[in-house]
Structures are given as C-alpha cells and as structure tokens.
Amino acid sequence: MSAGQPGGGSIVRRMLLGAQLRRLRESRGITREDAGYSIRASESKISRMELGRVSFKERDVADLLTLYGVTEGGERLAMLGLVREANAAGWWHGYGEVMPTWFQTYVGLEESAALIRTFEVQFVHGLLQTEDYIRAVIRLGHPEAAGPWVERRVGLRLERQKLLVSERAPHFVAVMDEGALRRPFGGREVMRGQIRHLLEAAEAPNVDVRILPFATGGHAAGGGAFTLLSFPESDLPDLVYLEQLTGALYIDKHDEVVEYTKAMNALDTLALPPAQSLDWLIACRDEL
C-alpha cells in the first residue's frame, strides 16, 4: 500500500509499525520494561504501541530505533515515515459527530482489507444497503434523532460503500441469513429496492452474495453476526470484528480467529452457491 493511497491505511500502518518495533525489540533481547524506560513510558504503553492500539510520537519511535540499533539508513527513514502516515486522519474523521470512536477503528481496517467475509443475521450488510434501507435502520435505532443527524449517518454509510468500487476494492463475501431479507425494514417498496440493489451489486467480480435459507436448519455460527478481515500485508493477522449495541470486539488471537474461520467455512458450505442465491433473491423480490 503506497503512501499516496487515500482511505484507511493509517490504522493498518500503525499495526505494521508496531509489529516491526516488536520484532526489533525482541531481536535485541530488550524487555518491554527497558524499552518503556527509554522513552519515559510504561511497559503497558510499549505493549499498546506494538499492538498498534495507540498513536505514535515520532520522537518516541526515533528513541526506540536508536535503542534497537537502527541509527541510520533506509530502514530508520522508512519507519519514521511510517509514523507520519500512521498518524494521518482518515476520511471518516469528518463524520466524527455521528460516528462512535470504536467504529472508526473498524472502518479503517475495512478500508485496508484485501478480503472481507461477513455473516449477517438481522440486517443486509452496511456495504450493500440502499439509501432508503439505511435510513429505515437508523431511524429504528434512533427514533428521537433529528433529521440532519440521521442524514449525516446516511451520508457516512453511502461514503463507506464507495470502497467496493474503488481501485483498492476488497473481495467481499456476504453470507446473509434468510431472516435478514424477510425482515421488512422500511416497508415493501424499500425491501424491493434493497433486493434489486443486491442483485446489481452481485454482478461485480469482487462481490459474492450468499443466502442461508431457513431450510438449512441450524449452523455453526449460532452466536450471531461477525466479520472476518484479511489483509494483504503478511505481517498482519486476520481479525474478527463483533459489533455490539454500544461497542465492538476485535479478536486477533490466533486460536480464536481459527474458530471463527471454521464457522465461516461451514457457512460457505451451507449457504446457497452464488448463482442459486441470485435466483433466491429474484424469487424473494417477486414475492414482495
């Protein structure tokens, strides 16, 4: 990912920088406590830096690189340059008044992913929602919200959807439980428009829409909706995103990610293949 790319690379660059700092520290046999002392910080701050969960100060990174023996040359310059890129604000910061901080992290990761695999139970996935459907969902969750606030939220989601048609578009696989399409957000006409949109979106080579019919019975993802993110950078592990009512969980522990990957693979097996999923959607649209 080049420095000139727009979008959400700053969060991923932060994770990459943290991973590189951890490797350098470990290769020199330096403890987190000693590294923290060198930049007047705690061991826990070094841990958060190495996980990419805090912003970086160029002075701190420069001092750590010196401690790790990287005192000159291209590697030092590249890593200091990565600090500046990692601290760059993403486009979504302009929507800060209508966007929770915990969701800003997800959008940054989503923008940098090469593969997004998601399972939805109640809603059509946000990247595939129509404007009317978005408005109906937001109104349901925030019935007392003022019109301008709602429209800013609608605009935010529409802006986010540009990812799927951008030059950096990921491969997007959306497995949706039948209930997500049977639940009539916004009424019949809104749902007809939503299903038409899904049929159109599925024509893109990077988008797979899969339906999990009720007839399949139970499945391995009984815990509900989740998203798997995979990144082009080999240094970054796959992540699982679990959204909750007032926050989110980001799972990166290998063993846990493996379990979610197994569940997603099982859903892939149970869901209708892409062509049959489109036939199912056409039949569903015609029933409305």
Side-chain angles (χ1 to χ4, degrees), residues 49-207:
M49 289 175 67
E50 292 181 351
L51 292 170
R53 293 177 181 169
V54 293
S55 59
F56 291 89
K57 294 180 180 178
E58 189 167 343
R59 174 186 169 184
D60 288 344
V61 175
D63 288 347
L64 288 173
L65 290 174
T66 299
L67 177 66
Y68 302 156
V70 184
T71 57
E72 57 185 23
E75 183 180 11
R76 183 180 178 91
L77 290 175
M79 292 187 71
L80 291 176
L82 201 56
V83 175
R84 292 184 286 273
E85 295 171 19
N87 289 333
W91 61 263
W92 56 89
H93 286 278
Y95 291 89
E97 81 281 9
V98 295
M99 190 179 193
T101 302
W102 53 264
F103 191 62
Q104 292 181 25
T105 299
Y106 173 74
V107 173
L109 294 170
E110 181 181 71
E111 289 247 334
S112 300
L115 172 63
I116 302 172
R117 303 170 71 193
T118 183
F119 174 56
E120 291 290 341
V121 179
Q122 179 164 327
F123 304 102
V124 171
H125 192 275
L127 290 179
L128 298 174
Q129 295 175 2
T130 65
E131 182 174 340
D132 289 337
Y133 185 98
I134 295 168
R135 192 172 289 111
V137 169
I138 293 173
R139 281 289 185 194
L140 180 67
H142 304 275
E144 305 301 323
W149 186 91
V150 171
E151 293 309 308
R152 282 287 285 167
R153 287 287 295 265
V154 173
L156 165 63
R157 194 161 303 177
L158 292 174
E159 186 69 26
R160 182 178 149 216
Q161 291 178 358
K162 293 179 181 179
L163 173 66
L164 291 183
V165 294
S166 68
E167 291 183 2
R168 63 186 184 279
H171 184 194
F172 180 62
V173 182
V175 178
M176 287 180 284
D177 187 85
E178 180 175 341
L181 282 306
R182 296 295 188 189
R183 191 167 285 106
F185 288 102
R188 180 173 301 219
E189 285 307 308
V190 171
M191 291 306 299
R192 282 181 63 86
Q194 178 60 70
I195 293 174
R196 283 196 300 269
H197 180 66
L198 287 174
L199 290 166
E200 294 169 1
E203 294 178 1
N206 62 306
V207 176

